[in-house]
Structures are given as C-alpha cells and as structure tokens.
C-alpha cells in the first residue's frame, strides 16, 4: 500500500492515512512487536490491518501482523479487494473456537471475531454463544501462555440492555437482559466475555481491556451487508425507496470507522487493566427514523414505513443508547478533525461501497 490516492477504496485509504497522523496514540509501542488480530476481514478488522500495514511502510515500525482467518484464500481476496498490501501479513487459518498452533511470540491481541448478524441471534444462538465465549476463553488462555502485553476485547453497546430514555450511559451502567429471550444470546454472551476478560486479569494477571463500540460504519462496508446503515446506502446506490420495517424509534449514537480504529488503538496502549471504555460520536445521537429521513432527503429517494412483526428477523426492542465517552477521552482519545457528521459519514461510505 503506497501513499497515492486510490480511485478504488479512496476514502478507506484516506482514512488510514489520517489515523496514522494522530498524535495521541503512542505508535512507537508497536516497534519490533507482534500483533494478532481476530475478525481481521470484518469492517473494523480490515481497517485495523490496513493501518498496521501502512504504519510499517511509512513509520518503519517493523511490526509483525498476524491475522486469524477461517479461510486464507478468501481473506486474501477480501483484503486485496480493498487495495491492502498483504505481503507483510502472516495468515493463520483456523477459528477462535479451535485455535491453530501459534509458535510465534505475540505481544498484543485485538479480539474482534464475533457473529454479528441479528438474524443469527435468533436462528443460530448456540453458535453465537460458542463463538463469543469459547473463542474468547481460548484467546485468554493463549494470552496467558504467551505473556502478552495486552489483550483488547471488542465488545458492544448491547451489553447495556435497554437504558431508560434520557439516561447518559457510562461504563458503570448495569445492563439488565432476560436470558429467556433468545435474541439475547448475543449481548449476554458479550457480557460473559467481558467477565472472562476481567477474571483472567484478576486471577492470572493477563492485561486485558474492553472497548464497547456503538454502531460503526464508513468506507469499507460491503453492499450486501445486512446492517441498517448498509441497507440505507444500498438504497441510495440502487435508487430504491428506503423501507423501514419498524417505526424507527430506537435512538443511539454512531461512530465513524476511522474514529473506531483510533479508539481501539488508544485503549490497546493506554487502557487500564480490567476496564471497559465506551466509543461513540456523541453528536450523532438520533433515531433510526431521523437517520433514514436524512439519507432519503439528501439523496432524493423516498422513505416509507411498512411494519413487520416477524421476530425471526432478530429486530431488537426499541432502545435509547446515549453513550458517554468521557472515560475514553480521559486517556487521550479524540475524533479525527471535529468528528464526521452523519451526513459526511454516509457520503464517504456510499462513495466507496461496492
């Protein structure tokens, strides 16, 4: 990956360059180190990998990049399609549920592998739980054996359950979730993984930190992605009406992908042991309906509501997730520039989406 602008994935690579320019992340901690990433072909994982490759090129930090992938051929194709130079990457074929033998020294682990399809929370809850819990326990045991400097666990805002409307959600908020609702296979397993991270930190002195990400998007989203933001972008690309299957009352904040990556590296290098950190752009807090309306008006398409009560789709109940990021900011994190507005986030994602 070189410094020139790419016509393909232009904003994706522009964001990587912006990430590498921030001065609140101690990039020197990566010098001559090795880092293992799980979930490396996902939306956030691919930008993490692209950033590390670019850092090796421009800052000459000489870090070793290990990517755990289920299928090496497909992983290489995915990263190549995003114009990422894969020559500096060591691919480890396997999965978090059954880790392959890794003989190399590993200094840092970013654990982002997870099943994130809402439909799977309903149709394959056992597999959702196994990937989360068994996979995280395997990586924590591996981190213990290797004596890593830090394992960062990528959690979710869903661990907070359903906060009351008007509540500012801090890391001390306790999320109440019923284990009898099958969709909660995802958030409850995330909660258990957080407890595992804290337990390994307390009992075995494994340095762990947790980042609780709000819904994140930007360049790198695939046009077939099933999440709501990708659906809106797909409607724009295909010149189709946006059709909401709920009233769109859920309100939450969002986060631009480049800011998610800087938040992850900030917590990896500056996070406290056994501590969780919220990551969001607080200024984007809005309802799904308001976001859909913004996209429709800006792109001259129609917005319609056609209610669908099919529980098999895995729709979450209406929630109000206003994340407080004071703790993350206290360890130095800032958004790039002034932080991208929702309008700009969509513009950049739609320009790069395929």
């Amino acid at each position: 990956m070189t410094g020139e602008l790419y016509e393909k994935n232009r904003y994706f690579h522009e964001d990587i360059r912006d990430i590498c320019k921030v001065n609140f992340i101690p990039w020197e901690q990566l010098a001559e180190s090795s880092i293992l990433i799980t979930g490396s072909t996902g939306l956030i994982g691919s930008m993490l990998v692209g950033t590390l490759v670019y850092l090796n090129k421009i800052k000459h930090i000489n870090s070793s990049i290990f990517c755990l992938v289920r299928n090496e051929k497909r992983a290489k194709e995915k990263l190549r399609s995003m114009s990422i130079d894969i020559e500096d990457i060591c691919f480890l074929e396997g999965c978090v549920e059954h880790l392959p033998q890794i003989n190399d020294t590993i200094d840092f682990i970013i654990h982002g592998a997870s099943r994130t399809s809402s439909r799977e929370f309903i149709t394959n809850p056992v597999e959702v739980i196994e990937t989360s819990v068994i996979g995280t326990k395997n990586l924590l045991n591996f981190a213990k054996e290797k004596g890593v400097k830090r394992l960062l666990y990528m959690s979710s805002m869903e661990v907070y359950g359903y906060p009351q409307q008007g509540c500012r959600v801090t890391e001390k908020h306790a999320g109440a979730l019923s284990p009898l609702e099958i969709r909660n296979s995802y958030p409850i397993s995330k909660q258990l993984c957080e407890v595992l991270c804290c337990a390994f930190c307390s009992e075995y002195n494994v340095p762990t930190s947790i980042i609780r990400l709000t819904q994140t998007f930007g360049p790198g989203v695939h046009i077939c992605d099933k999440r709501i933001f990708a659906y809106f972008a797909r409607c724009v690309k295909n010149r189709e009406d946006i059709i909401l299957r709920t009233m769109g009352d859920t309100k939450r904040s969002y986060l631009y992908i480049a800011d998610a990556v800087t938040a992850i590296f900030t917590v990896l290098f500056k996070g406290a042991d056994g501590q969780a950190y919220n990551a969001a752009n607080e200024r984007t807090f809005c309802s799904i309906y308001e976001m859909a309306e913004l996209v429709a008006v800006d792109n001259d398409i129609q917005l319609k509501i056609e209610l669908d009560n099919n529980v098999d789709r895995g729709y979450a109940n209406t929630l109000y997730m206003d994340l407080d990021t004071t703790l993350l900011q206290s360890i130095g994190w800032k958004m790039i520039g002034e932080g991208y507005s929702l309008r700009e986030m969509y513009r950049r994602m739609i320009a790069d989406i395929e």
Side-chain angles (χ1 to χ4, degrees):
M1 185 164 52
T2 58
E4 74 270 11
L5 286 175
Y6 287 85
E7 290 304 317
K8 181 182 179 183
N9 309 126
R10 172 183 175 180
Y11 290 117
F12 179 84
H13 289 281
E14 184 177 292
D15 286 342
I16 286 174
R17 287 192 293 277
D18 287 342
I19 291 167
C20 295
K21 291 176 184 175
V22 302
N23 58 14
F24 55 83
I25 297 174
W27 298 116
E28 65 276 5
Q29 291 194 32
L30 283 171
E32 306 296 332
S33 69
S34 55
I35 183 166
L36 170 64
I37 299 177
T38 72
S40 56
T41 60
L43 176 62
I44 297 174
S46 57
M47 185 165 278
L48 285 167
V49 172
T51 299
L52 290 167
V53 170
Y54 193 67
L55 283 166
N56 273 348
K57 300 292 185 186
I58 65 162
K59 292 187 179 291
H60 309 290
I61 58 176
N62 196 32
S63 64
S64 299
I65 307 163
F66 294 86
C67 293
L68 178 64
V69 297
R70 291 183 181 269
N71 184 297
E72 182 174 344
K73 181 181 179 182
R74 285 204 296 267
K76 287 181 175 179
E77 289 172 353
K78 170 70 183 295
L79 295 177
R80 280 199 192 102
S81 75
M82 304 180 79
S83 305
I84 294 174
D85 184 353
I86 66 171
E87 298 305 315
D88 290 341
I89 302 171
C90 176
F91 291 90
L92 305 168
E93 195 166 66
C95 62
V96 291
E97 300 95 314
H98 305 283
L99 287 179
Q101 183 69 33
I102 304 173
N103 296 320
D104 302 87
T105 297
I106 300 293
D107 296 303
F108 300 100
I109 299 174
I110 298 177
H111 177 27
S114 184
R115 294 176 183 262
T116 57
S117 166
S118 293
R119 185 182 290 272
E120 276 197 282
F121 304 164
I122 301 294
T123 60
N124 300 94
V126 173
E127 289 75 14
V128 168
I129 294 168
E130 287 179 339
T131 297
S132 288
V133 179
I134 296 174
T136 300
K137 185 172 185 292
N138 286 342
L139 281 163
L140 285 164
N141 275 321
F142 175 77
K144 175 187 169 188
E145 294 166 6
K146 292 289 185 178
V148 301
K149 295 178 181 178
R150 183 159 303 278
L151 180 148
L152 181 139
Y153 177 63
M154 288 169 55
S155 190
S156 166
M157 65 178 180
E158 290 211 30
V159 300
Y160 291 121
Y162 295 90
Q164 291 184 343
Q165 188 171 6
C167 171
R168 291 278 289 153
V169 182
T170 71
E171 289 79 2
K172 294 181 180 179
H173 185 96
L177 292 159
S178 170
L180 303 183
E181 292 183 23
I182 202 63
R183 191 197 177 279
N184 289 340
S185 58
Y186 177 74
I188 290 178
S189 65
K190 284 287 189 180
Q191 289 180 333
L192 181 52
C193 289
E194 290 195 11
V195 174
L196 275 170
C197 287
C198 293
F200 268 77
C201 184
S202 175
E203 187 172 347
Y204 301 124
N205 296 315
V206 176
T208 63
S209 293
I210 299 157
I211 189 163
R212 294 170 178 163
L213 294 159
T214 191
Q215 203 162 69
T216 298
F217 66 89
V221 172
H222 193 275
I223 198 164
C224 294
D225 192 305
K226 301 299 184 183
R227 286 168 289 189
I228 191 73
F229 53 78
Y231 166 63
F232 292 169
R234 190 160 59 248
C235 289
V236 173
K237 277 286 190 180
N238 297 335
R239 306 306 303 163
E240 297 173 348
D241 295 341
I242 292 175
I243 300 175
L244 290 184
R245 302 298 183 181
T246 71
M247 294 302 295
D249 292 330
T250 283
K251 298 187 75 171
R252 57 176 163 243
S253 48
Y254 297 85
L255 186 61
Y256 189 60
I257 184 171
D259 292 317
V261 170
T262 60
I264 288 166
F265 280 120
T266 300
V267 175
L268 181 69
F269 298 131
K270 296 181 176 181
D273 290 348
Q275 178 63 55
Y277 297 84
N278 290 337
N281 178 347
E282 297 178 26
R283 295 197 294 270
T284 64
F285 186 66
C286 68
S287 71
I288 290 175
Y289 182 89
E290 289 169 331
M291 186 168 70
E293 186 176 44
L294 179 147
V295 174
V297 169
D298 280 359
N299 294 280
D300 196 26
I301 58 177
Q302 297 298 308
L303 168 60
K304 301 176 181 178
I305 294 179
E306 297 179 6
L307 297 182
D308 179 357
N309 295 317
N310 185 351
V311 296
D312 288 343
R313 295 187 185 276
Y315 298 141
N317 296 327
T318 299
L319 61 84
Y320 304 95
M321 193 67 69
D322 189 7
L323 295 182
D324 186 308
T325 63
T326 300
L327 190 60
L328 180 59
Q329 294 179 58
S330 75
I331 59 171
W333 178 74
K334 304 172 187 173
M335 289 184 291
I336 293 172
E338 297 298 317
Y340 287 117
S341 66
L342 271 178
R343 177 172 282 111
E344 182 65 7
M345 288 167 65
Y346 267 99
R347 187 186 74 79
R348 294 171 76 87
M349 175 175 64
I350 291 167
D352 267 12
I353 200 169
E354 292 187 341

